[in-house]
Structure formats: C-alpha cells, structure tokens
Amino acid sequence: MLDKTLKGINNEKMLLIVTDKVNEVSDYIINDIHRGITYLYGEGAYTNNEKKVIYCIVTLNQLEKVKAKILEIDNRAFITILDAAEVRGKGFKVPPM
C-alpha cells in the first residue's frame, strides 16, 4: 500500500508476446482492443528460430480480456506482463506543451 501511495496507482501494463500466430494476435490487439503494437525481433537461443515479439501497452481494465483472447488464439503463446511505470503517447498521457 505504501508503494502505491509513493509511486501512484499504475493502470498500464506492458506485454511482450511470443506466438506462432503473430498476425492473428496483432490483428486482435489493433482492431478489437484498439491499441498499437510494435514488433521486436528476437531469436530463440535453443532453436535459433527468428521470431517477432509483440510489444504493446494495455490498461489494467483490458488486461484480462487480452490475455484470455491471446491464449484462445494460441494456447502455447508466451506472455510476459510488466508494470509500466509511465506511458506517454497517443492514447495515454499527453506530454505537457
């Protein structure tokens, strides 16, 4: 509780998603959740397979719906969820002029 008081209530979550169904997951996030995504490029250390990693920010309210849909699209998807300390940009905080 003290941490929340000092840092503020964080409503944004950062997702890193590794999936074999990149196009389907990306289309869902862009068209249904109305969030932008960025592709990061990675390589599996064990397999040496190149992968697109989906990077996106969602609100806390969107998180459970997004997780459920990603796992419905690809039940083997690897999802990392992190607290985003601060998010600025279209759809989030607008920087002061």
Side-chain angles (χ1 to χ4, degrees):
M1 191 62 156
L2 181 59
D3 198 40
K4 292 287 184 195
T5 303
L6 293 174
K7 293 181 181 178
I9 296 173
N10 179 9
N11 287 324
E12 290 86 31
K13 300 294 180 183
M14 181 179 91
L15 292 120
L16 295 169
I17 306 155
V18 179
T19 176
D20 289 329
K21 298 185 178 181
V22 172
N23 293 334
E24 294 95 323
V25 171
S26 298
D27 288 345
Y28 168 72
I29 293 169
I30 292 168
N31 297 317
D32 293 30
I33 301 299
H34 306 290
R35 288 289 171 209
I37 63 166
T38 298
Y39 292 130
L40 307 175
Y41 294 89
E43 180 180 335
Y46 181 73
T47 64
N48 292 323
N49 291 338
E50 291 183 4
K51 293 268 188 182
K52 283 184 183 176
V53 177
I54 300 169
Y55 164 80
C56 71
I57 304 292
V58 299
T59 65
L60 187 58
N61 293 338
Q62 296 169 325
L63 182 61
E64 289 306 316
K65 182 178 178 182
V66 170
K67 282 193 315 186
K69 186 63 176 184
I70 291 168
L71 293 173
E72 180 184 312
I73 294 169
D74 179 4
N75 66 355
R76 296 182 52 127
F78 187 83
I79 306 168
T80 303
I81 302 165
L82 302 162
D83 287 328
E86 184 173 345
V87 180
R88 292 186 177 260
K90 187 175 179 181
F92 294 96
K93 292 180 187 171
V94 178
M97 298 293 270

